């Protein structure tokens, strides 16, 4: 059983991500590497979804998730293109929700064990990168 990170750590990580809030998506795409790896380029930053479970939804529709067919995912992920990142919220378990003007990209750790495998990361405009791994660990490099 894992205990989540502290409220102060949640606030710190959200503040690290804040420079890309308010920017628009240049390109959201399904990776050519296979699986359901996705990337979202925006405001000089890059959200890269490695081994996290994820879904995209609106207030009224569940659009797609990581286990859908790749061709379907490709079209649905592209719906993020041009949308502004209006907010980010992080849970104590390092799940994250990115709000894109009416659509939400939600990322969930796929394992409760500390495996050291990166779940998701964000390349920040500053050149630093935030890495989140399974088991509630994170680092800034």
């Amino acid at each position: 059983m894992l205990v989540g990170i502290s409220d102060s750590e949640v606030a710190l990580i959200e503040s690290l991500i804040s420079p890309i809030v308010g920017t628009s998506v240049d390109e959201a795409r399904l990776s050519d590497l296979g699986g359901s790896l996705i990337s979202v380029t925006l405001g000089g930053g890059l959200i890269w979804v490695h081994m996290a479970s994820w879904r995209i939804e609106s207030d009224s529709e569940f659009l797609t998730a990581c286990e859908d067919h790749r061709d379907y995912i490709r079209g649905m992920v592209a719906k993020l293109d041009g949308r502004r990142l209006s907010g980010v919220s992080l849970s104590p378990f390092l799940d994250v929700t990115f709000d894109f003007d009416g659509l939400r990209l939600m990322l969930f750790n796929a394992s409760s064990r500390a495996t050291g495998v990166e779940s998701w990361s964000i390349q920040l405009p500053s050149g630093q990168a935030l890495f989140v791994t399974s088991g509630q660990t994170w680092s800034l490099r």
Side-chain angles (χ1 to χ4, degrees):
M1 181 169 67
L2 291 173
V3 176
I5 63 172
S6 68
D7 290 344
S8 61
E9 281 185 286
V10 168
L12 173 61
I13 294 169
E14 287 177 342
S15 74
L16 291 170
I17 298 170
S18 68
I20 61 172
V21 174
T23 64
S24 295
V25 175
D26 298 315
E27 181 182 47
R29 66 181 174 87
L30 179 65
S31 172
D32 292 333
L33 298 175
S36 60
L37 302 160
I38 59 172
S39 64
V40 180
T41 306
L42 70 166
L46 172 70
I47 300 168
W48 178 245
V49 183
H50 307 264
M51 295 297 293
S53 295
W54 59 267
R55 77 172 177 257
I56 298 174
E57 64 180 36
S58 71
D59 286 339
S60 61
E61 293 181 281
F62 184 125
L63 298 176
T64 191
C66 57
E67 293 298 318
D68 285 334
H69 188 274
R70 283 181 52 81
D71 289 336
Y72 183 75
I73 290 172
R74 187 174 287 107
M76 291 294 108
V77 167
K79 290 187 178 285
L80 296 175
D81 288 353
R83 291 180 184 262
R84 186 180 62 85
L85 178 61
S86 55
V88 176
S89 59
L90 190 76
S91 83
F93 303 104
L94 297 174
D95 298 329
V96 64
T97 300
F98 298 96
D99 290 301
F100 292 98
D101 288 338
L103 293 182
R104 288 180 294 279
L105 170 60
M106 304 168 75
L107 312 179
F108 310 94
N109 274 313
S111 176
S112 63
R113 294 176 300 143
T115 62
V117 174
E118 293 171 3
S119 295
W120 56 272
S121 62
I122 300 177
Q123 175 73 39
L124 300 166
S126 66
Q128 294 179 302
L130 171 70
F131 294 92
V132 172
T133 60
S134 60
Q136 281 68 10
T137 59
W138 66 277
S139 62
L140 186 66
R141 301 180 219 152

